[in-house]
Amino acid sequence: MAYTDNYERDTYGIIAFWLRNDYDHGRFFDREISHYETELARANLNNIERLGKVWEKAEKKQGDIGTLLNEAHHATSEFHSLLAYTMDKSLHCEVIISTPVSLLDHMVRESEESQRVYKLIESGARISPSDAIIHECVFWIRQMADHLGYIRHYSDVSNYEVNYQVTQMMQKFERLQMQATALQTMIRTPRNETLPILTQFKNIIIQEAKSLEAFKLELDDLIKKCAVATTSPPDLLEHIAREAHHLWRNLEEERIT
């Protein structure tokens, strides 16, 4: 499915966003599993199929939310377990895959975040704007820095200017990540008000996330035109652009989804 930034942000849309994330991760992971790892490949394909079916239900708004959340929990939990198991095997050099360990960890963290969001929906808990801003920044800024690292990982060495640009942006987001972590510990709970220093940081991240989304889509267009040498999966840039969009939308609305 082509890139879309206008997905509905109702409960069904939020669930669909996270299911699609795991579904995409499963597909990206599938292409990097060695043909020797037949059991791993089979288990991953089973997860892709299950995630895809539940995602389709969420997209079509089929069934009640409680049932859909239960199915999403189970599908995501199984995929998370497979990723965590594979990451451990990779750290012990007991599996043949092309996926970097840091990328497995990246996918594990997003799978865990999706489960937190599902629980938040189930509980109906209210999160203060300040807590929401800090949470989204601490979690997603690290993911954005990771994305830039993976763009560089898949980019051919000969793309000197692109690689330099990506490295500069990656270092910027690493600094922003440190700032987000500092604000998390400086602004203590209960966070009943949004301090000016946090509002200023939020506005910076919104601007940077929008710029990053645009950059990812520009690079995606070049990749599809075969104008940049890369081993990137064909729709990886769409996937990570959608996450950048999700970040700045959440910050503008000051909520966790």
Side-chain angles (χ1 to χ4, degrees):
M1 182 181 294
Y3 176 78
T4 174
D5 62 0
N6 63 349
Y7 50 89
E8 289 191 61
R9 290 167 64 81
D10 60 0
T11 304
Y12 284 101
I14 294 166
I15 297 170
F17 169 84
W18 285 106
L19 286 166
R20 180 177 189 173
N21 251 29
D22 279 336
Y23 175 79
D24 283 353
H25 288 162
R27 290 189 302 107
F28 300 152
F29 182 40
D30 177 66
R31 71 191 291 274
E32 298 191 332
I33 300 173
S34 166
H35 69 277
Y36 293 105
E37 304 290 350
T38 54
E39 290 186 14
L40 175 60
R42 190 178 299 114
N44 187 54
L45 285 172
N46 287 339
N47 278 315
I48 293 171
E49 183 179 354
R50 185 171 184 183
L51 286 163
K53 287 179 179 178
V54 185
W55 171 37
E56 185 178 3
K57 288 183 181 180
E59 282 275 286
K60 295 180 178 179
K61 302 187 178 183
Q62 293 178 342
D64 67 273
I65 292 296
T67 301
L68 183 63
L69 278 171
N70 187 54
E71 291 180 353
H73 264 305
H74 283 294
T76 301
S77 180
E78 287 190 9
F79 183 55
H80 171 270
S81 295
L82 180 68
L83 290 174
Y85 169 81
T86 305
M87 184 165 62
D88 181 67
K89 286 285 188 181
S90 185
L91 286 168
H92 287 87
C93 300
E94 295 174 355
V95 66
I96 303 173
I97 56 173
S98 300
T99 309
V101 177
S102 64
L103 179 49
L104 288 169
D105 179 52
H106 177 95
M107 294 190 291
V108 166
R109 280 184 269 120
E110 287 195 15
S111 188
E112 290 170 345
E113 180 67 8
S114 70
Q115 292 177 68
R116 280 190 284 270
V117 171
Y118 298 153
K119 290 177 180 177
L120 187 60
I121 294 171
E122 286 176 328
S123 69
R126 297 182 65 85
I127 307 296
S128 73
S130 183
D131 279 327
I133 293 167
I134 288 175
H135 175 85
E136 292 301 277
C137 286
V138 169
F139 178 79
W140 280 112
I141 292 174
R142 181 180 179 184
Q143 302 303 96
M144 297 299 114
D146 282 355
H147 291 163
L148 290 159
Y150 303 138
I151 291 172
R152 191 174 60 182
H153 167 74
Y154 288 117
S155 178
D156 193 83
V157 174
S158 65
N159 300 319
Y160 295 105
E161 184 59 33
V162 170
N163 293 340
Y164 175 78
Q165 188 177 359
V166 168
T167 299
Q168 294 291 102
M169 287 189 290
M170 181 179 173
Q171 291 172 347
K172 177 189 289 185
F173 272 88
E174 286 172 343
R175 293 194 300 272
L176 291 171
Q177 181 191 342
M178 293 174 65
Q179 189 171 350
T181 303
L183 290 174
Q184 183 184 39
T185 55
M186 288 163 55
I187 304 173
R188 295 286 174 169
T189 57
R191 302 186 181 102
N192 297 323
E193 61 176 324
T194 303
L195 299 178
I197 190 172
L198 185 58
T199 298
Q200 171 65 9
F201 184 65
K202 179 195 76 171
N203 291 334
I204 290 171
I205 300 306
I206 289 172
Q207 180 180 345
E208 293 295 339
K210 286 181 177 180
S211 296
L212 185 57
E213 178 187 17
F215 171 78
K216 290 171 178 177
L217 292 176
E218 289 168 8
L219 187 57
D220 177 67
D221 184 58
L222 291 173
I223 290 171
K224 288 176 178 174
K225 291 176 180 176
C226 204
V228 173
T230 180
T231 57
S232 169
D235 52 354
L236 173 64
L237 274 295
E238 290 181 1
H239 171 89
I240 59 179
R242 191 175 296 108
E243 292 186 359
H245 183 91
H246 186 79
L247 167 59
W248 68 256
R249 283 286 297 275
N250 277 4
L251 290 181
E252 283 193 341
E253 297 171 13
E254 299 185 341
R255 63 181 186 138
I256 299 170
T257 67

